[in-house]
Amino acid sequence: MKTTLNGKNIVIGVCGGIAAYKSVTLLRLLKKQDAHVRVIMTLNAGAFVGPLTFEALSGMKVCTSLFAENGEDASIKHIEWAQSADAVIIAPTTANMIAKLAAGIADDALSTFLLAVTAPVMLCPSMNTHMFEHQTVKRNLKTLKQDGYHILAPDAGELACGVTGPGRLPEPEIILDRFLACLTPKDLSGRKILVTSGPTQEAIDPVRFISNPSSGKMGQAIARAAEMRGADVTLISGPTSLTEPLNIKMIKVNTALEMHQAVWHHFEHTDIIIKAAAVSDYRPVNPKHRKIKKVQDETVLELQKNPDILKELGKNKGGRILVGFAAETEDLQKNAAMKLAQKNLDLIVGNLIGPDDSGFNADTNRVQFLYKDGTIETLHKMSKDAVAHLLLDRILQLTISS
Ligand code: PMT
């Protein structure tokens, strides 16, 4: 099921590091997810970003001290925050805060809050490479991991201090993605899922090809949702401009033949296959090695059929769950039902093509789920992320009942 932050109480803890400015964007991203966000800062964090910035964006008073502010009892306030928190992100987490947490030291507002909180906590270590690689920091992080904290590994690269190596705070979008991942129940743990996504490109000559407008958004939404839910995911993708999803084995292909080969290479080691790719049915017979010159007024392009990858999988699927997509401009249900039977699928997603809010390149989708027992589920318009999670819910039910 899709994890939502809507209405959840999220606390961001900010420690004193050069990357503290990234927490401002993180706060905005969390607010966009309709979370209630509160911020607790260490004294040193205030030297990098002022509490007013966080206050203006969160609409909430920022907690910076254990002591009374404006007559309020701050020590009670952050215990209340700890009790009401649904989840916590500490970004950046300094070596000092890591050491305090590992030792159980509570000597300021943030470290005291952290000892009182029982909700999941994600730590985002960020510091100089030599500090990050220091045996004490390593030992403390190991302890915290054993204690159940989620630790987001820092990025490697050139750091503000001039040193190159691990220690950089990942971008806020990545922090949010991994935060959602650590809050998502792992109901697909142990499942090996293969997803195909995006278009294929069939060369006519070195500068032209036959393709379609698939962006890869639907397939990647499925791959990301499955990864967040604990599956071991392989994504075979045609060309796309999307950023590569995290923690997923991604195999890039161009042509239908390359996709065919990659799918069969991974077939043995999968138990669920979801084919969201828009594969070209035909390819030019003799792609030219040099650019075709514009000399004739008319020309004929000879095409030959590509292998129907899904149909071949259907003949050999054994105990695997096999899911296809059917992109249709008309007679969605009839055409999808035909493909479900012809390709020996367990489920097919009929995908309406035509409206701007559905199908190719849209962020939302209008789909129907058709099952091999004849059941049909017609869904209202929803985000591709929501379609992905619902599809995985249904696949999970199929694996339980089969
Ligand atoms: O990538 P987006 O921009 O997000 O768009 C998503 C999408 C519209 C591409 C996707 O939701 C979708 O509908 N994908 C299937 C598109 C398609 O090619 O449908 P089809 O009816 O032509 O093919 C039926 C099924 O057979 C598909 O699962 C397809 O992957 C598979 N197939 C088709 C031809 C072929 N040679 N080999 C195949 O495996």
Side-chain angles (χ1 to χ4, degrees), residues 57-365:
L57 290 171
S58 68
M60 311 279 266
K61 192 102 185 89
V62 168
C63 180
T64 51
S65 165
L66 269 175
F67 301 106
E69 295 161 17
N70 305 329
E72 277 180 69
D73 185 347
S75 61
I76 300 225
K77 184 167 77 182
H78 57 256
I79 297 298
E80 270 172 24
W81 285 23
Q83 277 166 356
S84 62
D86 291 304
V88 178
I89 312 176
I90 310 298
T93 318
T94 53
N96 186 43
M97 186 55 69
I98 288 166
K100 284 206 263 188
L101 197 52
I105 294 171
D107 64 352
D108 66 359
L110 183 53
S111 54
T112 308
F113 162 83
L114 280 170
L115 289 197
V117 82
T118 53
V121 178
M122 186 169 88
L123 306 174
C124 308
S126 169
M127 63 199 76
N128 163 277
T129 300
H130 301 306
M131 288 171 78
F132 182 68
E133 288 175 346
H134 194 281
Q135 55 191 359
T136 315
V137 175
K138 277 191 187 164
R139 192 170 58 234
N140 287 336
L141 281 172
K142 196 172 163 199
T143 303
L144 292 173
K145 200 168 176 193
Q146 280 164 358
D147 288 348
Y149 289 93
H150 301 275
I151 315 252
L152 179 66
D155 282 347
E158 194 182 337
L159 307 182
C161 55
V163 174
T164 300
R168 195 165 59 194
L169 187 68
E171 293 308 311
E173 291 75 13
I174 306 241
I175 299 178
L176 176 63
D177 184 85
R178 292 301 86 192
F179 184 56
L180 283 168
C182 77
L183 298 181
T184 302
K186 304 292 177 250
D187 57 355
L188 290 173
S189 172
R191 312 278 181 167
K192 295 189 184 68
I193 303 189
L194 176 66
V195 181
T196 71
S197 177
T200 63
Q201 293 179 348
E202 313 297 328
I204 298 170
D205 69 11
V207 298
R208 304 178 182 96
F209 53 77
I210 298 174
S211 192
N212 60 68
S214 172
S215 61
K217 287 180 185 172
M218 189 64 248
Q220 282 215 15
I222 297 168
R224 274 190 282 107
E227 185 275 333
M228 285 209 181
R229 292 168 69 156
D232 177 355
V233 184
T234 301
L235 174 65
I236 299 174
S237 175
T240 153
S241 57
L242 302 176
T243 34
E244 274 189 37
L246 300 168
N247 203 20
I248 286 174
K249 183 175 177 196
M250 184 161 168
I251 294 141
K252 295 180 187 174
V253 296
N254 282 308
T255 66
L257 288 181
E258 286 169 11
M259 185 170 282
H260 179 258
Q261 194 185 22
V263 165
W264 280 108
H265 184 74
H266 289 87
F267 173 77
E268 236 1 83
H269 311 287
T270 51
D271 27 57
I272 297 165
I273 302 175
I274 307 170
K275 286 216 76 248
V279 186
S280 297
D281 289 320
Y282 293 91
R283 66 179 185 277
V285 171
N286 280 316
K288 302 288 176 265
H289 297 295
R290 293 182 177 196
K291 185 180 173 187
I292 300 168
K293 294 295 172 199
K294 197 173 45 179
V295 282
Q296 292 157 286
D297 283 345
E298 286 180 11
T299 184
V300 173
L301 188 61
E302 205 184 337
L303 301 175
Q304 63 182 310
K305 233 180 180 176
N306 272 325
D308 188 325
I309 309 167
L310 190 56
K311 199 168 177 182
E312 283 183 18
L313 291 169
K315 286 184 187 150
N316 298 280
K317 73 184 181 104
R320 295 171 187 80
I321 299 282
L322 190 56
V323 178
F325 271 71
E328 305 293 342
T329 51
E330 64 270 308
D331 295 329
L332 178 66
Q333 201 163 303
K334 193 173 120 214
N335 289 327
M338 214 162 64
K339 288 176 185 171
L340 173 82
Q342 281 171 352
K343 303 193 185 201
N344 190 26
L345 310 178
D346 297 279
L347 199 174
I348 193 159
V349 181
N351 197 157
L352 184 66
I353 303 297
D356 287 348
D357 58 8
S358 180
F360 293 119
N361 202 24
D363 291 324
T364 51
N365 220 350

